[in-house]
């Protein structure tokens, strides 16, 4: 399946090869943030070989945390950048049952009966009405009891708190050794962002029909939210 490549995907394609190497600096809470995916999966239970859809999968970083918890997971990675998916293909070259879909997940057919749908730092590129529509499509695409995990960049609920998040992120990234040029590049990519506050997203997920909706992890501008199909 191939769909039109959005502008945000083009921006990430340019940095695909060095994307992973910078994550630990640009996501200062990296281990806890991505690790929350595994914690939520372990508590959820689910099948030993779940059918997993990774939306905006990029280089497969979030999917790698899924595999760490469920090594027999059957993965489908969907992303609008073939350059990013190429990195994922290398990452999972020895992993059986991994499928790649080059498509814009904001409009692509998500299929159905997924045990788990996960997304890492991707949905914030969508306009708010498109986020709401996507959450409804995700709820419909999950199997009964299926889980949705969204590890996301969020907007502070007030201008003052968003400014604080920006200051703290900049200081943390610099302290972790991210060069000024890479911080600048990250900000250029952020021009494509349409972040939303946690509470807005939790409400949208509930309206979409998901149950047990919660934000189980938050560190300034990074949060992990989840919900399941009843």
């Amino acid at each position: 399946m191939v769909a039109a490549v959005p502008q945000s995907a083009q921006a990430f394609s340019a940095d695909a090869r060095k994307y992973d190497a910078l994550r630990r600096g640009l996501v200062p809470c990296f281990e806890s943030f991505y690790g929350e995916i595994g914690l939520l999966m372990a508590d959820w239970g689910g099948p030993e070989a779940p059918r997993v859809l990774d939306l905006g999968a990029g280089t497969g970083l979030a999917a790698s945390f899924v595999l760490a918890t469920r090594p027999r997971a059957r993965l489908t990675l969907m992303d609008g950048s073939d350059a990013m998916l190429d990195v994922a293909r290398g990452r999972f070259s020895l992993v059986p049952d991994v499928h790649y879909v080059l498509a814009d997940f904001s409009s692509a057919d998500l299929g159905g009966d997924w045990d788990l749908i996960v997304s890492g730092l991707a949905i914030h590129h969508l306009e708010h009405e498109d986020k709401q529509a996507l959450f409804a499509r995700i709820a419909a695409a999950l199997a009964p009891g299926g889980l949705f995990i969204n590890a996301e960049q969020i907007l502070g609920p007030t201008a003052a708190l968003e400014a604080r998040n920006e200051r703290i992120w900049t200081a943390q990234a610099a302290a972790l050794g991210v060069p000024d040029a890479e911080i600048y590049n990250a900000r250029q990519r952020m021009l494509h962002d349409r972040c939303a506050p946690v509470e807005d997203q939790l409400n949208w997920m509930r309206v979409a029909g998901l149950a047990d909706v919660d934000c189980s992890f938050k560190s300034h501008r990074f949060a992990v939210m989840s919900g399941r199909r009843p």
Side-chain angles (χ1 to χ4, degrees):
M1 178 190 300
V2 179
V5 178
Q7 187 177 9
S8 58
Q10 296 173 19
F12 279 96
S13 292
D15 293 321
R17 292 295 167 185
K18 59 183 179 181
Y19 182 85
D20 281 5
L22 287 168
R23 286 306 88 189
R24 291 181 182 274
L26 294 176
V27 183
C29 54
F30 182 95
E31 292 292 347
S32 298
F33 177 67
Y34 284 103
E36 186 70 13
I37 294 172
L39 289 176
L40 290 171
M41 288 179 63
D43 182 73
W44 162 65
E48 286 300 311
R51 297 156 294 179
V52 181
L53 175 63
D54 186 347
L55 296 177
T59 65
L61 188 53
S64 71
F65 281 81
V66 170
L67 282 178
T69 302
R70 290 288 190 278
R72 293 170 52 200
R74 294 167 286 171
L75 297 175
T76 296
L77 278 60
M78 180 181 291
D79 198 89
S81 166
D82 203 32
M84 296 287 271
L85 289 178
D86 271 345
V87 178
R89 292 182 184 101
R91 182 195 295 273
F92 300 126
S93 61
L94 300 179
V95 179
D97 212 357
V98 182
H99 305 278
Y100 303 91
V101 179
L102 180 63
D104 178 358
F105 65 82
S106 70
S107 56
D109 181 4
L110 302 185
D113 290 331
W114 300 102
D115 299 304
L116 173 67
I117 297 178
V118 64
S119 185
L121 297 177
I123 294 174
H124 66 274
H125 296 132
L126 305 184
E127 299 293 344
H128 293 346
E129 59 268 25
D130 293 329
K131 293 183 183 73
Q132 295 172 67
L134 177 64
F135 291 156
R137 291 164 55 227
I138 286 170
L142 285 168
L147 181 66
F148 169 50
I149 302 175
N150 186 20
E152 187 61 296
Q153 180 179 316
I154 53 93
L155 183 71
T158 67
L161 291 176
E162 176 59 20
R164 183 190 69 182
N165 288 348
E166 169 67 15
R167 290 193 302 272
I168 290 174
W169 173 78
T170 301
Q172 289 178 329
L176 289 168
V178 179
D180 290 344
E182 293 299 345
I183 292 177
Y184 171 81
N185 289 340
R187 286 202 176 97
Q188 291 302 110
R189 292 191 295 269
M190 289 176 189
L191 295 175
H192 302 288
D193 293 351
R194 300 293 183 267
C195 297
V198 165
E199 283 303 322
D200 288 356
Q201 298 191 64
L202 297 180
N203 286 333
W204 296 338
M205 290 166 66
R206 294 185 186 104
V207 169
L210 294 169
D212 296 329
V213 171
D214 188 30
C215 174
S216 57
F217 173 86
K218 183 179 179 299
S219 179
H220 304 291
R221 65 171 20 158
F222 299 99
V224 180
M225 297 161 280
S226 62
R228 64 172 181 83
R229 179 173 175 177

